[in-house]
Amino acid sequence: MHRNAPRNAPRRSKTVRNTLACAAVALPVLLVAGCSSDSDQDKESDSPSASASKSPTVAPAKFKELPDSCKSLGKKTVKDLVAGTKNASGKRVGSGDTNDSNSCLWSGLDKYDYRQLTLSLKRFDSDPAIGSGDKRAADYVKLQADEKTSNKDNRNIKESEVSGIGDQASSLGYETKKTDTKGKAEEYRAERLIARTANVVITVDYEGAGFESAKKPSADEMKKKAEKAAKEAVTQIK
């Protein structure tokens, strides 16, 4: 049997051959161009956008540390405000990092006149997410005032601005009742003075009562002596 000879493949025309040759040359060029384009896009994606907003910045906090509140008032001042105290050096209140906040308490009974003084210091650092130390301290001043005005046990509240103490200061005078260990209610006169110097807040809580037949102190006396303590404490912030 005879095998049929394979048919010869049709010859391509000259025009077709030229087209295929051009395509073969163009393909590597396109591949190179494609890689180059991808690379450029990657570089652009790695670089920060020109329109991207800058991170918010805040002024650095002025004060980096706090003094010891128990050492912020001289013993002469303590004895003037808290007559009859048996510990003019004061008693530390609370715990934790004393460079962020610390408080000191003095109390004393002079015959039937009772006085109690608390000095609290609190420092705020600057934080781009929540504001400068000064702003945070100013917000805290308001919170300290609200703490007393929102308490229903406090009566006859009188609030006023005070000049000459730090960057800003306010005073809240009020009356309240406290029950002693025997269950007897006593009338107290109290004063809260809040002062801010840059990023530090000084809070003075001063209370007084007259036991037995003694009268409770006047509002004017409490206000003046609370201011005296705050003025002295401010000078210790450095």
Side-chain angles (χ1 to χ4, degrees), residues 124-137:
F124 294 87
D125 284 321
S126 293
D127 187 330
I130 52 181
S132 67
D134 285 22
K135 180 185 179 300
R136 295 178 66 198

Side-chain angles (χ1 to χ4, degrees), residues 26-39:
L27 182 60
V29 175
L30 289 174
L31 291 175
V32 172
C35 292
S36 175
S37 177
D38 290 343
S39 177

Side-chain angles (χ1 to χ4, degrees), residues 15 77 92 94 104 108 216:
T15 302
T77 299
R92 187 170 300 286
C104 195
K216 64 178 179 286

Side-chain angles (χ1 to χ4, degrees), residues 90-135:
K91 178 183 179 181
R92 187 170 300 286
V93 180
S95 59
D97 187 353
T98 57
N99 196 44
D100 286 336
S101 64
N102 65 81
S103 301
C104 195
L105 170 71
W106 295 266
S107 61
L109 181 64
D110 183 24
K111 294 182 180 180
Y112 299 114
D113 292 325
Y114 176 77
R115 299 290 184 274
Q116 179 174 291
L117 172 68
T118 305
L119 173 64
S120 301
L121 308 176
K122 190 167 181 65
R123 187 182 66 85
F124 294 87
D125 284 321
S126 293
D127 187 330
I130 52 181
S132 67
D134 285 22
K135 180 185 179 300

Side-chain angles (χ1 to χ4, degrees), residues 206-235:
Y206 189 43
E207 301 177 351
F211 298 151
E212 301 297 336
S213 58
K215 295 180 180 180
K216 64 178 179 286
S218 69
D220 186 58
E221 175 194 344
M222 300 301 286
K223 187 173 185 294
K224 285 182 177 179
K225 290 191 173 182
E227 288 180 11
K228 179 178 180 178
K231 285 179 180 178
E232 189 168 326
V234 165
T235 64

